[in-house]
Amino acid sequence: MAFVTALAVGLVALALAPGRAFYFDVTPKLAALLAATALLLILAARRRRLPGAPPRFTALLLLNAGSLALSTAFSANRGLSLYGGSWRGWGALAECAAMLFAWLVARQPDAHAVLWSIAIAGVPAAIFGTLGDPGSLAVWLAMGACLAMALAQMEPRRLWRTAAWAASAAALAALIVTGVKSAPWAGAHGSLWRDTLSMAADRPLAGFGSETFLAQFPHFESKALAQVSPDSFYESPRNALLDTLVAQGVPGLLLLCGLTVLGMVSAWKRGEGWIAAALLAGIAGLQFTAFRIPTAILFFTTVALAVRPTESQREPRPMPVLVTLAPFAVLALLYLALRVTVADRELVVTRRLLDARDLRAATAEYEIYWFWRLPGANADIWYSRTWLAIARNATNPDVRAQAMAIAVEAAARATENAEEPGPAFYNLAQVSLAQQDYDEARHDLRLAIASHPNWYLPRRALAQELLRQSRMDEERQRLR
């Protein structure tokens, strides 16, 4: 189990498939997390007896799962909150899988293999940027440097201890370079955090649900923030604590803090100060970025390492509940991994066929994608824009008419429970303008403005359309 755990932690960090996956830095990591958790669960169930999991850690994870269920039930887009969005795939099910993974890690007394995996994975992650964004990379490197020092503290052999020190030094060097180049703390964080707190105050108990920030935050975005960065779309508050607060409400934030404190106190009590330092470094770094799958796995796993069984707790115990429920959980995890992988692959094939102008085959492939995709996020905006470009460039009237019809259908479908409602309605307006349906275009632009009040593009497009139609006075009268 220790080897599988170590392999999974490294694989989630390094999984990247440019050219082979549509969401090349999200889908491979999500599939790896789901499949690795299923495999670890199979191995745990086969052993039937393992050291007991720390009760307080187990209780906090169960309470957090309950908080996720509550926030998902009250979410404006339950499918998106449950299965995750396209930008990071961090829905309630993915977070529950990460917590289950950590719970299984917490039952393993040996931390060496996992710590070596973290230390080694940091090197290619820093070189190739496999973690998705500089902020996540900085969090991984900061925690990895501390965990490598924890490994050095545990290693009795001088050679391996020196290797662990070298891994820590390499992570620190990469962290300094990453920080200087990207400066994740720079930007309008103050205004973003202030507006996020206003959003959180609107639903303090249940939150808005995971992955809904992109759709809900525009209603709370101040004009000052929009003016600082008018072209920015905020997929998160760029702060893991605030992200948890708006997603799950105050209970979710308290549970995250509880897990952090439990891990730090447990590590300190057992004399593993570097593991406590890793959690502290992680929380510090997460003030400037939200959880993504690799950083979330690293964080939960570090807490699990901190609370793992001591010498007196390593007596294996029977696990009748785990053995009974494991087959159902394994099937669910593998089913989800299969669907996200197949759906993403169908999008890749669709894109290649569209580039090759094999339009009939592309349409058939996209229908297969639609069958396999999980509820919530979808690629309809991209699909509509691609077909609109084909319609504009087509010389054959039949091809132009067919392409426009598909663009209209996909654009309209994209507005239903959209991950990004503002861009979805704005795209629908562009399709309507291409059809010279100006009344519908004005209607769509007003819906885009209602979905994203401070976004300048739909306002500018609406103003241009009203000027073209000489209807500015009518619009002023409507607004009164």
Side-chain angles (χ1 to χ4, degrees):
M1 285 184 65
F3 175 77
V4 173
T5 303
L7 185 64
V9 173
L11 184 60
V12 169
L14 300 177
L16 203 69
R20 295 185 176 275
F22 192 85
Y23 303 108
F24 63 89
D25 62 341
V26 176
T27 301
K29 299 180 188 301
L30 179 57
L33 166 62
L34 297 171
T37 305
L39 179 57
L40 202 60
L41 194 56
I42 291 171
L43 295 175
R46 286 186 63 186
R47 293 179 66 172
R48 296 182 178 272
R49 296 175 65 89
L50 281 174
R56 284 178 292 182
F57 184 57
T58 302
L60 286 173
L61 292 180
L62 289 174
L63 287 172
N64 196 41
S67 173
L68 285 168
L70 180 66
S71 64
T72 301
F74 287 95
S75 172
N77 191 334
R78 293 188 183 91
L80 191 62
S81 294
L82 186 61
Y83 297 106
S86 57
W87 80 274
R88 62 173 176 173
W90 189 237
L93 288 179
E95 186 166 353
C96 286
M99 290 190 294
L100 176 58
F101 181 90
W103 183 76
L104 292 169
V105 172
R107 306 181 78 107
Q108 302 176 36
D110 187 15
H112 280 73
V114 178
L115 291 175
W116 272 117
S117 174
I118 294 168
I120 294 171
V123 177
I127 295 173
F128 299 108
T130 62
L131 292 177
D133 70 277
S136 297
L137 178 58
V139 171
W140 181 280
L141 292 173
M143 295 186 69
C146 294
L147 292 173
M149 290 302 297
L151 177 62
Q153 191 179 46
M154 296 176 187
E155 279 292 350
R157 293 165 293 183
R158 184 175 180 179
L159 178 62
W160 295 115
R161 190 162 57 246
T162 303
W165 286 336
S168 179
L172 284 174
L175 176 61
I176 293 171
V177 173
T178 300
V180 170
K181 290 175 62 177
S182 62
W185 54 84
H189 285 90
S191 299
L192 175 59
W193 294 345
R194 183 179 60 250
D195 294 347
T196 300
L197 287 172
S198 299
M199 177 180 173
D202 193 64
R203 299 185 68 173
L205 296 180
F208 289 82
S210 302
E211 298 283 66
T212 60
F213 191 87
L214 194 58
Q216 298 297 327
F217 178 71
H219 299 289
F220 301 90
E221 181 184 21
S222 63
K223 289 184 179 180
L225 178 59
Q227 289 170 350
V228 168
S229 187
D231 290 315
S232 294
F233 281 76
Y234 297 100
E235 70 286 338
S236 77
R238 298 176 185 174
N239 180 298
L241 298 180
L242 290 178
D243 190 38
T244 303
L245 177 62
V246 295
Q248 297 175 239
V250 174
L253 175 61
L254 293 177
L255 289 167
L256 177 59
C257 293
L259 284 167
T260 306
V261 171
L262 175 63
M264 292 178 65
V265 170
S266 300
W268 190 262
K269 284 183 176 180
R270 64 194 299 162
E272 296 175 344
W274 283 111
I275 292 183
L279 288 171
L280 184 61
I283 283 294
L286 287 167
Q287 301 311 299
F288 304 99
T289 187
F291 275 126
R292 293 176 75 97
I293 290 175
T295 50
I297 283 292
L298 181 60
F299 184 84
F300 284 123
T301 299
T302 304
V303 177
L305 293 175
V307 302
R308 71 190 189 279
T310 61
E311 290 291 341
S312 60
Q313 298 170 334
R314 294 185 181 184
E315 181 66 27
R317 304 174 185 176
M319 303 179 298
V321 176
L322 178 63
V323 172
T324 303
L325 297 180
F328 302 100
V330 167
L331 287 175
L333 290 167
L334 294 178
Y335 174 71
L336 291 173
L338 176 66
R339 286 193 61 169
V340 298
T341 303
V342 173
D344 191 285
R345 183 60 185 169
E346 292 302 324
L347 278 180
V348 173
V349 175
T350 300
R351 181 172 57 189
R352 289 176 181 172
L353 291 172
L354 286 172
D355 292 341
R357 290 299 185 266
D358 191 346
L359 305 183
R360 180 174 297 179
T363 305
E365 288 294 333
Y366 195 75
E367 290 177 357
I368 298 174
Y369 154 75
W370 194 261
F371 173 80
W372 281 99
R373 60 170 281 276
L374 293 169
N378 60 64
D380 274 336
I381 295 180
W382 163 80
Y383 193 60
S384 172
R385 288 172 178 169
T386 304
W387 277 104
L388 180 60
I390 292 172
R392 285 171 171 168
N393 296 325
T395 56
N396 187 316
D398 294 334
V399 172
R400 186 186 305 116
Q402 179 190 9
M404 186 60 71
I406 296 174
V408 170
E409 180 185 4
R413 192 169 53 199
T415 62
E416 302 170 2
N417 295 321
E419 184 179 10
E420 300 178 82
F425 282 112
Y426 182 72
N427 176 68
L428 183 59
Q430 299 304 304
V431 175
S432 298
L433 286 172
Q435 291 183 296
Q436 298 184 348
D437 189 347
Y438 301 115
D439 289 337
E440 181 62 28
R442 287 192 296 273
H443 174 70
D444 298 333
L445 288 170
R446 292 185 180 111
L447 289 175
I449 293 170
S451 300
H452 202 142
N454 291 321
W455 188 26
Y456 74 97
L457 279 181
R459 291 184 178 276
R460 185 179 68 180
L462 180 59
Q464 291 172 341
E465 178 57 25
L466 291 170
L467 281 172
R468 193 186 66 80
Q469 295 283 329
S470 301
R471 298 177 64 174
M472 287 296 290
D473 292 337
E474 176 187 329
E475 181 67 9
R476 292 193 188 99
Q477 186 66 32
R478 190 190 70 82
L479 292 175
R480 290 176 186 171

Tab-separated table of all heavy atoms in Angstrom, residues 3 30 127 129 166 171 219 247 273 281 283 300 316 361 378 383 400 411 418 420 443 450 464 475:
chain	number	residue	atom	x	y	z
A	3	PHE	N	3.736	1.759	-1.395
A	3	PHE	CA	4.243	2.041	-2.737
A	3	PHE	C	3.150	2.648	-3.613
A	3	PHE	O	3.392	3.616	-4.357
A	3	PHE	CB	4.782	0.759	-3.368
A	3	PHE	CG	5.208	0.927	-4.803
A	3	PHE	CD1	6.405	1.546	-5.112
A	3	PHE	CD2	4.392	0.479	-5.835
A	3	PHE	CE1	6.790	1.712	-6.435
A	3	PHE	CE2	4.772	0.647	-7.153
A	3	PHE	CZ	5.975	1.262	-7.455
A	30	LEU	N	-7.424	14.368	-12.440
A	30	LEU	CA	-8.667	13.895	-11.841
A	30	LEU	C	-8.806	12.393	-12.018
A	30	LEU	O	-9.167	11.668	-11.072
A	30	LEU	CB	-9.854	14.630	-12.463
A	30	LEU	CG	-11.246	14.223	-11.962
A	30	LEU	CD1	-11.358	14.376	-10.451
A	30	LEU	CD2	-12.326	15.035	-12.674
A	127	ILE	N	10.310	21.854	-13.193
A	127	ILE	CA	10.921	22.052	-14.517
A	127	ILE	C	9.871	22.207	-15.607
A	127	ILE	O	9.955	23.107	-16.458
A	127	ILE	CB	11.859	20.870	-14.849
A	127	ILE	CG1	13.046	20.850	-13.870
A	127	ILE	CG2	12.365	20.975	-16.286
A	127	ILE	CD1	13.930	19.626	-14.011
A	129	GLY	N	6.385	22.514	-15.142
A	129	GLY	CA	5.163	23.237	-14.795
A	129	GLY	C	3.919	22.399	-14.883
A	129	GLY	O	2.941	22.778	-15.530
A	166	ALA	N	19.340	17.340	-0.280
A	166	ALA	CA	19.499	17.876	-1.632
A	166	ALA	C	18.139	18.147	-2.274
A	166	ALA	O	17.952	19.170	-2.956
A	166	ALA	CB	20.311	16.901	-2.486
A	171	ALA	N	14.083	22.067	-4.060
A	171	ALA	CA	12.729	22.614	-3.983
A	171	ALA	C	12.752	24.078	-3.569
A	171	ALA	O	12.010	24.905	-4.116
A	171	ALA	CB	11.892	21.790	-3.007
A	219	HIS	N	-21.805	38.839	-9.633
A	219	HIS	CA	-22.888	39.599	-9.009
A	219	HIS	C	-22.412	40.361	-7.778
A	219	HIS	O	-23.130	41.233	-7.270
A	219	HIS	CB	-24.020	38.650	-8.624
A	219	HIS	CG	-24.614	37.926	-9.786
A	219	HIS	ND1	-25.392	38.543	-10.739
A	219	HIS	CD2	-24.516	36.629	-10.184
A	219	HIS	CE1	-25.768	37.664	-11.656
A	219	HIS	NE2	-25.245	36.487	-11.341
A	247	ALA	N	-17.657	28.394	-0.867
A	247	ALA	CA	-18.172	27.128	-1.385
A	247	ALA	C	-19.010	26.395	-0.352
A	247	ALA	O	-20.077	25.862	-0.662
A	247	ALA	CB	-17.028	26.239	-1.861
A	273	GLY	N	8.569	18.094	13.645
A	273	GLY	CA	8.320	19.517	13.434
A	273	GLY	C	8.307	19.929	11.982
A	273	GLY	O	7.615	20.885	11.605
A	281	ALA	N	3.603	26.049	5.931
A	281	ALA	CA	4.009	26.598	4.642
A	281	ALA	C	2.891	26.473	3.612
A	281	ALA	O	2.669	27.382	2.794
A	281	ALA	CB	5.259	25.866	4.146
A	283	ILE	N	-0.411	26.398	4.193
A	283	ILE	CA	-1.462	27.372	4.491
A	283	ILE	C	-1.019	28.773	4.097
A	283	ILE	O	-1.814	29.570	3.565
A	283	ILE	CB	-1.834	27.309	5.988
A	283	ILE	CG1	-2.714	26.088	6.250
A	283	ILE	CG2	-2.555	28.560	6.438
A	283	ILE	CD1	-4.085	26.152	5.577
A	300	PHE	N	-3.956	17.209	2.152
A	300	PHE	CA	-4.657	16.177	2.920
A	300	PHE	C	-3.719	15.029	3.283
A	300	PHE	O	-3.810	14.468	4.384
A	300	PHE	CB	-5.851	15.649	2.135
A	300	PHE	CG	-7.041	16.570	2.124
A	300	PHE	CD1	-7.588	17.020	0.932
A	300	PHE	CD2	-7.639	16.971	3.302
A	300	PHE	CE1	-8.686	17.865	0.916
A	300	PHE	CE2	-8.735	17.814	3.308
A	300	PHE	CZ	-9.266	18.268	2.106
A	316	PRO	N	-3.016	-4.220	14.040
A	316	PRO	CA	-4.078	-4.285	13.032
A	316	PRO	C	-5.435	-4.628	13.643
A	316	PRO	O	-5.516	-5.431	14.576
A	316	PRO	CB	-3.600	-5.394	12.086
A	316	PRO	CG	-2.132	-5.474	12.306
A	316	PRO	CD	-1.921	-5.160	13.757
A	361	ALA	N	-18.311	13.668	-39.300
A	361	ALA	CA	-17.701	12.819	-38.275
A	361	ALA	C	-17.513	13.593	-36.971
A	361	ALA	O	-17.682	13.038	-35.879
A	361	ALA	CB	-16.358	12.293	-38.768
A	378	ASN	N	-19.526	21.859	-19.528
A	378	ASN	CA	-19.481	21.266	-20.859
A	378	ASN	C	-18.684	22.178	-21.781
A	378	ASN	O	-18.298	23.286	-21.397
A	378	ASN	CB	-20.888	21.013	-21.416
A	378	ASN	CG	-21.705	22.289	-21.526
A	378	ASN	OD1	-21.362	23.188	-22.289
A	378	ASN	ND2	-22.789	22.375	-20.765
A	383	TYR	N	-17.486	24.716	-28.742
A	383	TYR	CA	-18.068	24.044	-29.904
A	383	TYR	C	-18.852	25.037	-30.755
A	383	TYR	O	-18.744	25.034	-31.994
A	383	TYR	CB	-18.975	22.931	-29.404
A	383	TYR	CG	-19.425	21.942	-30.451
A	383	TYR	CD1	-18.514	21.183	-31.160
A	383	TYR	CD2	-20.786	21.743	-30.709
A	383	TYR	CE1	-18.922	20.261	-32.110
A	383	TYR	CE2	-21.218	20.823	-31.647
A	383	TYR	CZ	-20.274	20.087	-32.355
A	383	TYR	OH	-20.695	19.173	-33.281
A	400	ARG	N	-22.525	26.334	-44.974
A	400	ARG	CA	-22.708	27.516	-44.129
A	400	ARG	C	-23.985	27.398	-43.321
A	400	ARG	O	-24.008	27.692	-42.120
A	400	ARG	CB	-22.746	28.763	-44.997
A	400	ARG	CG	-22.787	30.060	-44.175
A	400	ARG	CD	-22.961	31.286	-45.049
A	400	ARG	NE	-21.940	31.351	-46.077
A	400	ARG	CZ	-22.188	31.285	-47.381
A	400	ARG	NH1	-23.436	31.128	-47.809
A	400	ARG	NH2	-21.220	31.368	-48.254
A	411	ALA	N	-24.781	27.167	-28.890
A	411	ALA	CA	-24.746	28.420	-28.138
A	411	ALA	C	-25.942	28.530	-27.186
A	411	ALA	O	-25.800	28.969	-26.039
A	411	ALA	CB	-24.727	29.606	-29.100
A	418	ALA	N	-24.975	27.192	-17.104
A	418	ALA	CA	-23.629	27.401	-17.614
A	418	ALA	C	-22.618	27.583	-16.490
A	418	ALA	O	-22.914	28.165	-15.452
A	418	ALA	CB	-23.600	28.636	-18.522
A	420	GLU	N	-20.028	29.425	-17.034
A	420	GLU	CA	-19.741	30.842	-17.233
A	420	GLU	C	-20.929	31.480	-17.953
A	420	GLU	O	-20.921	31.606	-19.172
A	420	GLU	CB	-18.479	31.022	-18.069
A	420	GLU	CG	-17.232	30.412	-17.475
A	420	GLU	CD	-16.032	30.582	-18.393
A	420	GLU	OE1	-15.420	31.655	-18.365
A	420	GLU	OE2	-15.723	29.640	-19.133
A	443	HIS	N	-31.290	41.177	-26.876
A	443	HIS	CA	-31.815	40.427	-25.725
A	443	HIS	C	-30.711	39.598	-25.071
A	443	HIS	O	-30.576	39.593	-23.829
A	443	HIS	CB	-32.960	39.521	-26.195
A	443	HIS	CG	-33.483	38.607	-25.132
A	443	HIS	ND1	-34.205	39.034	-24.042
A	443	HIS	CD2	-33.371	37.252	-24.989
A	443	HIS	CE1	-34.515	38.007	-23.277
A	443	HIS	NE2	-34.022	36.914	-23.825
A	450	ALA	N	-26.680	41.093	-17.314
A	450	ALA	CA	-27.303	40.697	-16.049
A	450	ALA	C	-26.496	39.600	-15.356
A	450	ALA	O	-26.434	39.544	-14.119
A	450	ALA	CB	-28.735	40.219	-16.305
A	464	GLN	N	-22.888	49.616	-29.214
A	464	GLN	CA	-22.630	49.690	-30.648
A	464	GLN	C	-23.860	49.301	-31.455
A	464	GLN	O	-24.174	49.930	-32.476
A	464	GLN	CB	-21.452	48.780	-31.000
A	464	GLN	CG	-20.115	49.263	-30.477
A	464	GLN	CD	-19.012	48.254	-30.664
A	464	GLN	OE1	-19.266	47.064	-30.867
A	464	GLN	NE2	-17.754	48.706	-30.597
A	475	GLU	N	-33.247	52.953	-25.212
A	475	GLU	CA	-32.567	52.188	-24.168
A	475	GLU	C	-32.520	52.971	-22.864
A	475	GLU	O	-32.725	52.422	-21.784
A	475	GLU	CB	-31.162	51.821	-24.629
A	475	GLU	CG	-30.361	50.996	-23.633
A	475	GLU	CD	-30.907	49.609	-23.424
A	475	GLU	OE1	-31.821	49.191	-24.179
A	475	GLU	OE2	-30.438	48.934	-22.498
